[in-house]
Amino acid sequence: MPKLSERKKQMVEKMMRGALYQAASSVMSEYGWPGLTMDRVAEEAGVSKGTVYNYFKDKKELVWFVITNLALDIEERLKNIIESHQSCAETVKEIVMKELQGRREHGHLATAIIHAFHEEPELRKRMLSSDHPFNRVDKMIEDLFARGMEKGEFRKMDPKAMQSVFSAILMGISRRWAGGRLDIGTDEMSDFIISLLNEGIVRKDN
Amino acid sequence: MPKLSERKKQMVEKMMRGALYQAASSVMSEYGWPGLTMDRVAEEAGVSKGTVYNYFKDKKELVWFVITNLALDIEERLKNIIESHQSCAETVKEIVMKELQGRREHGHLATAIIHAFHEEPELRKRMLSSDHPFNRVDKMIEDLFARGMEKGEFRKMDPKAMQSVFSAILMGISRRWAGGRLDIGTDEMSDFIISLLNEGIVRKDN
Amino acid sequence: MPKLSERKKQMVEKMMRGALYQAASSVMSEYGWPGLTMDRVAEEAGVSKGTVYNYFKDKKELVWFVITNLALDIEERLKNIIESHQSCAETVKEIVMKELQGRREHGHLATAIIHAFHEEPELRKRMLSSDHPFNRVDKMIEDLFARGMEKGEFRKMDPKAMQSVFSAILMGISRRWAGGRLDIGTDEMSDFIISLLNEGIVRKDN
Amino acid sequence: MPKLSERKKQMVEKMMRGALYQAASSVMSEYGWPGLTMDRVAEEAGVSKGTVYNYFKDKKELVWFVITNLALDIEERLKNIIESHQSCAETVKEIVMKELQGRREHGHLATAIIHAFHEEPELRKRMLSSDHPFNRVDKMIEDLFARGMEKGEFRKMDPKAMQSVFSAILMGISRRWAGGRLDIGTDEMSDFIISLLNEGIVRKDN
DNA sequence: TATGAATGAGATTTCATTCAT
DNA sequence: GATGAATGAAATCTCATTCAT
């Protein structure tokens, strides 16, 4: 029965790629993007360098997998937040709080990924394909704003522009924390961003 | 008259450093931060590798010079804008328009510099010193918001937080353009950001 | 049985380091200390440059290994000589003969090592640690003289001073041979040194 | 009258070479042999690098000049000592004291020169030519021992062998001092060497 | 003749990738 | 499939030497 062994093989493969994802993330967090060497990943994962190459054709493949997985994590978190709220305004509020919190904790990782992305033209090109998780994350946020407008919670505007600005804020603040250039607390910053968005994008009835 | 030759020498030195700055910027724009090799800079500038080392002690020095010069350019632009307006709100408006425009043109460079900054601990340390042009730029924006509050143009808030968010927006949008992930025009984006800020931070009298 | 493969690996490692030691010695003999480049060592050993770095972290490590091995060789020879004699005077005699012979054959190497030692502050520091083979060699000779004094074979003197002079003679003569500046035979030179140690140079009238 | 300007030119040349000798010695003392760069010599001498090349064809020429001059200094010192004594034994005694003293003070310089000499095969070859000051120094010492034998002050032996050993001792002890491996004082060491030469090390019972 | 900017060969070191076992 | 030793391209930096001014 070849199917069983086939399934088993696939499972092993999946687990191995997962383990290597963990290892690569960990190395990136600790050493940053330029410190992400195949040796370190292999050692962190407890396998040999050759093994890494058995599961990933080259370094780019590995990095791509890491980026994608990270985006999937974010996508998952977002989905949960979105599904558990009725009000779009409330949803945005919670995204700000949770994401700022989460990214502050993994600041270096996010930064490292940005580096990777900007560094490798090939990665950049692949990222532009519309069904990448990163793009889906962007789309989810865009849709959230669009929905808010339809429901009358937000005033009319270009949802794509709004999403870009929103993401820029989250990313920029995270990076400032990671770089030690900002000593405002997470809560204060959340409150501030939310108040900015509220009084800026919420329609005022009177 | 030794002064003449002395001045001449200094001019030559200045021109050479300027040329190397141009070359390094150009290489960074094209190849990104990790593609910034001394060989490429030398070739782009049309001199030999050794010559680069005659003007910059090592790679860090060169990168530092590039970063600083870029920041000086920005500082200069900002100062001009600030000095030519009475209203803080108007000033902010023009900063958004001009900076988005300017950074859009040098998008890759800005991104590359961010990488350099996050990558080299030594650069990071030097950058945190408060009188670096980059910090002065931040300070100028922070002061602008503070002044706006005093004058009653803006509502009360933490000017430091506001500056962080403002800079994050400009930087993030520039990066999206540079990465080809945003196809909204400069004018539209300016307008959107300004409207967001206006209705968000401007005090409403009634 | 993992031990087998482990042992095999260690053997391979040992052999490779041995081969690189041979190669480095050979290069040093031919080109002197500053001619000891990693490229030459790799080529002489018939491996690639990268391989050398797989076995020695950097050049200093390699040089250190070479120095230490040479010193171990000398230590071994000395120990054998010392153990096989009763009389200290006889021991000294044989050391002179054997060492002059041995060093004459590896003259350039010894010289090159002296250079390495004087040139690299780090090597110097490590060498001053008291349990390095080179220091043990010095100590063995010092002890030999001290023992000779206790037994009444030698007259009283500072054994450390005596060892320094003794080593200086052996080293200096080797260097002269290596430099082609001395055309006296090994046997004659041995005899002369021994007679000098025995009687001094001043004629005693009686 | 071309002769005058000719003489003047030669004087300038001589002074310049002398100044460069001083500069090179000074640099060698401070930085050791591998630190002897043309830049440092030029700066120490207060002239430009190009000027150094106007007086010395290349680095080897400069080093050769330095070595030769140093040997001339030693030759001068030796000649003075030899001429001012009747007894050969006394002369040897004073040479030991003076040379140990002098070399201890310029220990690093002597060491550096040894490096230079062993490093450059060409220098080595030129040094073997019999009328080099270094060889004349050796010859003077050899003659001193030969004369001592004729006069009956020293017992019969090969004067060349004796000179080799004598020089080896002086050089070896200097090097040990320079390397920080010997903490016996100059006077004690002089006394010890002289007593060794006088009587040897073996105890004579009678 | 003096200068010193420019040169480029050459040294050390890193690390992605291959391949024999 | 796993291993990890071997590889060599590529990067940074030094410094003897040349040559236009």
Side-chain angles (χ1 to χ4, degrees):
Chain A
M1 217 169 90
K3 277 187 186 167
L4 183 64
S5 73
E6 189 60 26
R7 252 183 298 151
K8 197 173 130 195
K9 207 175 82 179
Q10 285 188 0
M11 252 191 54
V12 168
E13 171 134 0
K14 199 171 171 182
M15 284 181 58
M16 184 61 104
R17 286 168 74 97
L20 290 171
Y21 160 63
Q22 293 297 339
S25 300
S26 166
V27 170
M28 265 205 200
S29 291
E30 186 167 3
Y31 298 95
W33 160 252
L36 179 72
T37 68
M38 296 305 257
D39 282 84
R40 286 214 183 97
V41 172
E43 194 189 332
E44 178 75 24
V47 299
S48 78
K49 225 181 339 178
T51 301
V52 180
Y53 278 89
N54 285 337
Y55 293 93
F56 296 98
K57 164 174 153 285
D58 56 21
K59 194 182 172 180
K60 275 195 257 296
E61 277 278 319
L62 172 62
V63 170
W64 181 249
F65 186 75
V66 170
I67 291 177
T68 302
N69 261 34
L70 186 87
L72 285 171
D73 282 357
I74 296 180
E75 191 185 11
E76 183 71 15
R77 272 202 315 250
L78 266 194
K79 212 182 288 182
N80 286 335
I81 295 176
I82 290 173
E83 282 170 358
S84 63
H85 288 82
Q86 286 293 331
S87 148
C88 292
E90 285 299 311
T91 309
V92 167
K93 213 163 161 177
E94 185 157 348
I95 290 174
V96 169
M97 290 191 306
K98 288 274 172 62
E99 284 299 302
L100 277 188
Q101 184 64 38
R103 296 192 192 187
R104 185 168 197 179
E105 280 157 12
H106 304 91
H108 285 297
L109 182 55
T111 305
I113 284 175
I114 300 288
H115 290 183
F117 166 64
H118 279 281
E119 185 157 304
E120 296 285 348
E122 203 179 326
L123 289 181
R124 205 151 36 192
K125 232 176 283 172
R126 282 172 80 178
M127 189 87 91
L128 293 179
S129 83
S130 64
D131 66 339
H132 186 271
F134 256 151
N135 296 324
R136 287 205 301 266
V137 165
D138 281 356
K139 196 69 176 54
M140 283 168 70
I141 294 179
E142 190 182 329
D143 289 347
L144 174 65
F145 285 115
R147 207 163 55 250
M149 293 177 218
E150 281 173 30
K151 290 174 63 184
E153 291 189 66
F154 303 141
R155 64 180 174 80
K156 290 276 180 234
M157 57 194 162
D158 180 343
K160 179 70 192 158
M162 185 56 224
Q163 173 267 315
S164 298
V165 169
F166 185 74
S167 299
I169 292 173
L170 292 187
M171 180 57 75
I173 296 299
S174 308
R175 277 228 322 279
R176 274 159 196 261
W177 272 328
R181 285 175 299 155
L182 190 58
D183 53 8
I184 298 179
T186 321
D187 291 344
E188 274 171 271
M189 194 42 103
S190 291
D191 290 346
F192 174 69
I193 293 170
I194 290 160
S195 79
L196 174 63
L197 295 179
N198 269 342
E199 303 186 38
I201 64 176
V202 175
R203 196 168 80 178
K204 277 102 196 160
D205 295 311
N206 51 348
Chain B
M1 212 169 100
K3 277 186 186 168
L4 183 65
S5 72
E6 190 59 26
R7 251 182 301 153
K8 198 172 133 196
K9 205 177 81 181
Q10 285 189 1
M11 253 191 55
V12 168
E13 168 130 4
K14 202 171 171 180
M15 283 181 61
M16 183 61 108
R17 286 170 75 98
L20 290 172
Y21 163 62
Q22 293 297 339
S25 300
S26 166
V27 170
M28 265 205 197
S29 292
E30 187 168 2
Y31 299 95
W33 158 251
L36 179 73
T37 68
M38 296 308 254
D39 281 87
R40 285 213 184 96
V41 172
E43 194 186 334
E44 177 74 25
V47 299
S48 78
K49 222 183 339 182
T51 299
V52 180
Y53 279 91
N54 285 339
Y55 291 92
F56 296 97
K57 164 175 152 287
D58 55 22
K59 194 182 171 177
K60 274 194 256 298
E61 278 277 322
L62 172 61
V63 171
W64 182 250
F65 185 75
V66 171
I67 291 178
T68 301
N69 260 32
L70 188 87
L72 283 171
D73 281 358
I74 296 179
E75 190 186 14
E76 184 70 15
R77 276 203 311 253
L78 266 194
K79 211 181 288 182
N80 286 335
I81 296 176
I82 290 173
E83 282 169 359
S84 62
H85 288 82
Q86 285 293 329
S87 148
C88 293
E90 286 298 312
T91 308
V92 168
K93 210 166 172 175
E94 185 158 348
I95 289 174
V96 170
M97 291 193 303
K98 289 275 173 61
E99 282 303 300
L100 278 187
Q101 183 63 39
R103 295 193 192 186
R104 184 164 197 182
E105 281 156 13
H106 304 90
H108 283 298
L109 182 55
T111 307
I113 284 175
I114 300 289
H115 292 181
F117 166 65
H118 278 283
E119 193 154 295
E120 294 284 349
E122 202 178 326
L123 290 181
R124 199 154 37 197
K125 225 177 288 171
R126 282 170 82 176
M127 190 90 90
L128 292 177
S129 85
S130 63
D131 64 339
H132 187 271
F134 259 151
N135 297 321
R136 287 204 301 264
V137 165
D138 281 358
K139 195 69 176 53
M140 282 167 71
I141 294 179
E142 188 182 330
D143 289 346
L144 175 63
F145 285 115
R147 207 162 54 248
M149 292 176 219
E150 282 174 28
K151 290 173 62 184
E153 294 188 63
F154 304 141
R155 63 179 174 81
K156 289 277 179 229
M157 55 195 165
D158 181 344
K160 180 71 193 158
M162 185 57 223
Q163 173 267 314
S164 299
V165 169
F166 185 73
S167 299
I169 293 172
L170 293 186
M171 180 59 76
I173 296 299
S174 307
R175 279 229 321 279
R176 274 156 197 263
W177 273 327
R181 287 177 296 155
L182 190 58
D183 52 8
I184 299 178
T186 321
D187 290 344
E188 275 172 270
M189 192 42 102
S190 291
D191 288 347
F192 172 70
I193 293 172
I194 290 161
S195 78
L196 172 64
L197 296 180
N198 267 342
E199 302 187 38
I201 61 175
V202 175
R203 196 168 80 179
K204 277 106 197 157
D205 296 311
N206 47 353
Chain C
M1 212 170 99
K3 278 186 185 168
L4 184 65
S5 73
E6 190 60 26
R7 249 183 300 154
K8 197 172 133 197
K9 205 178 81 178
Q10 286 188 359
M11 252 191 54
V12 168
E13 168 130 2
K14 202 170 171 180
M15 282 181 60
M16 183 59 108
R17 286 169 74 97
L20 289 172
Y21 163 63
Q22 293 297 337
S25 300
S26 165
V27 170
M28 263 205 199
S29 292
E30 187 169 1
Y31 298 95
W33 157 251
L36 179 73
T37 70
M38 296 307 253
D39 281 87
R40 286 213 183 97
V41 171
E43 195 188 332
E44 177 74 26
V47 298
S48 78
K49 226 182 335 181
T51 300
V52 179
Y53 280 89
N54 285 339
Y55 292 92
F56 296 97
K57 165 175 152 287
D58 56 20
K59 194 180 171 179
K60 276 194 256 295
E61 278 277 320
L62 172 61
V63 171
W64 183 250
F65 186 74
V66 170
I67 291 178
T68 302
N69 260 32
L70 188 87
L72 283 171
D73 282 357
I74 296 180
E75 190 185 13
E76 184 69 17
R77 276 204 311 252
L78 265 194
K79 211 182 287 182
N80 285 336
I81 295 175
I82 290 173
E83 282 170 359
S84 63
H85 288 82
Q86 286 293 330
S87 147
C88 291
E90 284 299 310
T91 308
V92 168
K93 211 163 164 177
E94 185 156 348
I95 289 173
V96 170
M97 290 192 304
K98 288 275 173 58
E99 282 302 302
L100 278 188
Q101 183 65 37
R103 296 192 192 188
R104 183 165 197 180
E105 280 157 13
H106 304 90
H108 282 297
L109 182 56
T111 305
I113 284 175
I114 298 290
H115 292 180
F117 166 64
H118 278 282
E119 193 154 296
E120 294 284 349
E122 203 179 325
L123 290 180
R124 198 152 40 192
K125 228 178 285 174
R126 282 171 81 176
M127 188 91 91
L128 292 178
S129 85
S130 64
D131 65 340
H132 187 272
F134 258 150
N135 296 323
R136 288 205 299 266
V137 164
D138 281 358
K139 195 69 176 54
M140 283 168 70
I141 294 179
E142 190 182 327
D143 289 346
L144 175 64
F145 285 115
R147 206 162 56 249
M149 293 177 217
E150 280 174 31
K151 290 172 63 182
E153 292 188 62
F154 303 142
R155 61 183 176 79
K156 289 275 178 236
M157 57 196 163
D158 180 343
K160 181 69 192 158
M162 185 57 223
Q163 174 266 316
S164 298
V165 168
F166 184 74
S167 299
I169 292 173
L170 292 187
M171 179 58 75
I173 296 299
S174 307
R175 278 229 323 280
R176 275 159 197 260
W177 272 327
R181 286 177 296 156
L182 190 59
D183 53 8
I184 298 178
T186 321
D187 291 344
E188 274 172 87
M189 192 45 99
S190 292
D191 290 346
F192 173 69
I193 293 171
I194 291 162
S195 79
L196 172 63
L197 295 180
N198 273 339
E199 315 167 44
I201 60 174
V202 175
R203 192 168 87 179
K204 278 95 193 166
D205 296 311
N206 47 352
Chain D
M1 216 167 96
K3 277 187 184 169
L4 183 64
S5 73
E6 188 60 25
R7 253 183 298 154
K8 197 173 133 194
K9 207 175 81 179
Q10 285 190 1
M11 251 189 58
V12 168
E13 171 133 359
K14 199 171 173 181
M15 283 180 59
M16 184 62 104
R17 288 169 74 98
L20 290 171
Y21 161 63
Q22 293 297 339
S25 300
S26 167
V27 170
M28 266 205 197
S29 291
E30 187 168 2
Y31 298 95
W33 161 251
L36 179 72
T37 68
M38 296 305 256
D39 281 84
R40 287 215 182 95
V41 171
E43 194 188 333
E44 178 76 25
V47 298
S48 77
K49 225 185 334 180
T51 301
V52 179
Y53 278 90
N54 285 336
Y55 293 93
F56 296 98
K57 163 174 153 285
D58 56 21
K59 195 181 172 181
K60 275 196 257 298
E61 278 278 320
L62 171 62
V63 170
W64 179 251
F65 187 74
V66 170
I67 291 178
T68 301
N69 262 34
L70 187 87
L72 284 171
D73 282 357
I74 297 181
E75 189 184 13
E76 183 71 16
R77 276 205 310 254
L78 265 194
K79 211 182 287 183
N80 285 336
I81 295 176
I82 290 172
E83 282 170 359
S84 63
H85 288 82
Q86 284 294 330
S87 147
C88 291
E90 284 299 311
T91 309
V92 167
K93 212 164 169 173
E94 185 157 350
I95 289 173
V96 169
M97 292 190 304
K98 289 275 174 59
E99 283 302 302
L100 277 189
Q101 184 64 38
R103 295 190 192 191
R104 184 164 199 181
E105 280 157 13
H106 304 89
H108 284 295
L109 181 56
T111 305
I113 284 176
I114 300 287
H115 290 182
F117 166 65
H118 280 282
E119 185 156 303
E120 296 285 350
E122 201 179 327
L123 290 181
R124 204 152 37 194
K125 228 176 286 172
R126 281 171 81 178
M127 188 89 91
L128 294 178
S129 84
S130 64
D131 66 339
H132 187 271
F134 257 152
N135 296 324
R136 288 205 300 266
V137 165
D138 282 356
K139 196 67 175 56
M140 283 168 70
I141 294 179
E142 188 183 330
D143 289 346
L144 174 65
F145 285 116
R147 208 164 53 248
M149 293 177 218
E150 279 174 30
K151 289 172 62 183
E153 291 189 65
F154 303 143
R155 61 182 175 79
K156 289 278 179 228
M157 56 195 165
D158 180 343
K160 179 69 193 160
M162 185 56 222
Q163 173 267 316
S164 298
V165 168
F166 184 74
S167 299
I169 292 173
L170 293 187
M171 180 59 75
I173 295 300
S174 307
R175 278 228 322 280
R176 274 156 196 262
W177 272 327
R181 286 176 297 156
L182 190 58
D183 52 8
I184 298 178
T186 321
D187 290 344
E188 274 172 87
M189 193 42 102
S190 290
D191 290 347
F192 172 70
I193 292 171
I194 291 163
S195 79
L196 172 64
L197 294 181
N198 274 339
E199 315 167 44
I201 61 174
V202 175
R203 192 168 85 180
K204 278 100 195 163
D205 296 311
N206 47 353

